Amino acid sequence: MYRTIRSLTVTALLGSLLITGAAAAQDDGRPVALVGATIIDPVDGHSIESGTVVVEQGKIRSVSEGQNVPPNARVIDVSGRFLLPGLIDAHVHIGTFEAARRALRSGVTTARSMGVGFVDVGLRELAAKGAIESPELVASGYHVRPTPADGFFIDEPGLSDLLETGVHGQEDLRRMVRAMISRGVGVIKVNATARAGLPETDPREPYYDEAELRAVVEEAARAGLSVAAHAHGDEGARAAVLAGVRSIEHGTYLSDETLDLMVSRGTYLVPTIAVVADLTLPGGDYDNAMLQVRGRHMLPRVRDMAARAHGKGVRIAAATDTGYGPESVLRLSHELMELADAGLTPLQVLQSATTVAAELLGVADHTGRLVAGYDGDLLLLDRNPLWEAGAYQDVLLVMVDGQIALNRLEW
């Protein structure tokens, strides 16, 4: 395997293999036991003090109190630290190996790609094979929108007539969704409103009506896929909710009426607050004077909207909306701090990036919790995230599918 356990200081446990700095070795298929941490269950916040998590063949074998270690296990002493499931970033734009590695090393072990072309389908497959260091990815391909990216027509020249006319009307939308499905995407993303990250667009402008968006939802459902709707403006978002989308991405200008509708229909909200804060600052993913002006208007609006949504009981999933590129200064930890400021309890903040996000992405049957049989996706923090949201910024160890992707324990 490409991931190596390096220079770990461990506690001697009877019958267990000890790993020291000199003896650290490549993964040899034996179980790995992480011992001594406080293990946090995101379902109810229950903690196991000084517990043990054993991971074997990519899956969690056991979670228990005390030092219950298989005789042949490699042991990692994580005493005094806090062990929780790997985080889920519900809205990313990861398009390169390096970007995937950055996301993973920040603690993100699962992510939903929201528009990089069919690159994300390839990245998903490579990640599933263990060929690259990457979170597990849910791929969406291209944005379904009136003017698709040039790359879409390069990949799908059979739809060249849409290059001239644009994607308008129910049949055009169905054709584009079918093209996505044929390429093996795992979710459909539709732009119900214009974008915020382009100076020449107004993010409140609706793109499609309810009937058009319902056509997208129906076509996706035929393949067993859900739909995520990019929507800042209230009119476009409301049409998307009525059409049956699974999530509203961003939601900056949502009204109380639309939020109430989301509660009644079980629509998730992915507010991406921190990326709006990034709009207001030089550098980072956005560095444009006009976008800084827009961001200063949008930021208090999206913060207020998220707080109102939480107060009404809308299910909120955490996401960055970043590509984890070399210029990015945004990580999921920043969004989690924003959600804490919006009124989510520390446990709800954790759930937004674990159990709630897993339900949204349709991966709750194998990740988002530390229980036997689930993927070996783990995150180790130095401070208790149920005490302070800022704890997510200090990642000490990351494990994905039972392989260690990051280890800072030796320093």
Side-chain angles (χ1 to χ4, degrees), residues 22 43 59 70 91 113 141 192 342 385 389:
V43 170
K59 299 289 185 178
H91 188 128
S113 174

Side-chain angles (χ1 to χ4, degrees), residues 30-93:
R30 287 172 292 181
V32 175
L34 297 99
V35 302
T38 296
I39 303 168
I40 301 174
D41 184 354
V43 170
D44 57 9
H46 174 71
S47 297
I48 298 175
E49 303 290 338
S50 300
T52 298
V53 175
V54 178
V55 180
E56 184 175 16
Q57 295 183 347
K59 299 289 185 178
I60 296 173
R61 170 170 163 177
S62 63
V63 179
S64 60
E65 298 180 0
Q67 296 181 348
N68 298 312
V69 180
N72 63 333
R74 293 175 298 129
V75 180
I76 305 174
D77 183 5
V78 290
S79 297
R81 274 60 181 256
F82 299 87
L83 197 60
L84 53 146
L87 301 179
I88 299 171
D89 190 335
H91 188 128
V92 303
H93 296 275

Side-chain angles (χ1 to χ4, degrees), residues 88-163:
I88 299 171
D89 190 335
H91 188 128
V92 303
H93 296 275
I94 294 172
T96 67
F97 293 169
E98 282 298 322
R101 185 178 297 115
R102 289 187 196 98
L104 181 61
R105 292 180 177 178
S106 73
V108 172
T109 56
T110 304
R112 185 179 57 159
S113 174
M114 288 279 94
V116 290
F118 296 127
V119 169
D120 58 10
V121 176
L123 288 172
R124 179 193 67 196
E125 296 305 304
L126 291 170
K129 292 174 180 290
I132 60 172
E133 292 182 272
S134 172
E136 174 187 352
L137 290 172
V138 177
S140 69
Y142 290 90
H143 301 198
V144 178
R145 65 191 189 198
T147 54
D150 293 353
F152 174 73
F153 295 104
I154 295 171
D155 288 330
E156 293 288 337
L159 297 180
S160 61
D161 58 300
L162 300 179
L163 183 60

Side-chain angles (χ1 to χ4, degrees), residues 86-92 108 110-114 247-250 268-275 306 314-322 324 330-340 344 347-361 392:
L87 301 179
I88 299 171
D89 190 335
H91 188 128
V92 303
V108 172
T110 304
R112 185 179 57 159
S113 174
M114 288 279 94
S247 65
I248 295 295
E249 313 292 307
H250 317 304
Y268 291 78
L269 173 67
V270 185
T272 63
I273 307 167
V275 78
V314 177
R315 292 177 66 74
I316 295 176
T320 58
D321 194 17
T322 184
Y324 288 93
L330 179 61
R331 296 294 181 265
L332 192 58
S333 57
H334 304 134
E335 182 70 5
L336 296 178
M337 289 187 286
E338 288 282 1
L339 293 178
L344 277 69
L347 178 58
Q348 289 168 334
V349 168
L350 173 58
Q351 291 169 339
S352 75
T354 54
T355 54
V356 173
E359 292 166 3
L360 168 60
L361 271 60
Y392 296 99

Side-chain angles (χ1 to χ4, degrees), residues 1-8 17 19-32 72 74 133 402-405:
M1 292 290 184
Y2 55 83
R3 298 181 179 94
T4 306
I5 298 177
R6 300 175 294 115
S7 306
L8 300 178
L17 177 66
I19 304 174
T20 65
Q26 295 282 351
D27 175 27
D28 54 11
R30 287 172 292 181
V32 175
N72 63 333
R74 293 175 298 129
E133 292 182 272
Q403 298 297 313
I404 292 180

Side-chain angles (χ1 to χ4, degrees), residues 139-213:
S140 69
Y142 290 90
H143 301 198
V144 178
R145 65 191 189 198
T147 54
D150 293 353
F152 174 73
F153 295 104
I154 295 171
D155 288 330
E156 293 288 337
L159 297 180
S160 61
D161 58 300
L162 300 179
L163 183 60
E164 180 177 353
T165 65
V167 180
H168 303 284
Q170 296 179 42
E171 184 53 32
D172 286 356
L173 287 163
R174 290 181 185 276
R175 291 174 65 198
M176 189 167 182
V177 171
R178 288 195 292 266
M180 299 296 174
I181 294 168
S182 72
R183 292 300 188 109
V185 302
V187 64
I188 299 296
K189 178 184 178 181
V190 62
N191 284 31
T193 73
R195 292 175 58 188
L198 297 175
E200 64 272 18
T201 60
D202 187 325
R204 287 168 289 202
E205 178 189 358
Y207 275 167
Y208 297 117
D209 62 25
E210 181 185 337
E212 290 172 314
L213 292 167

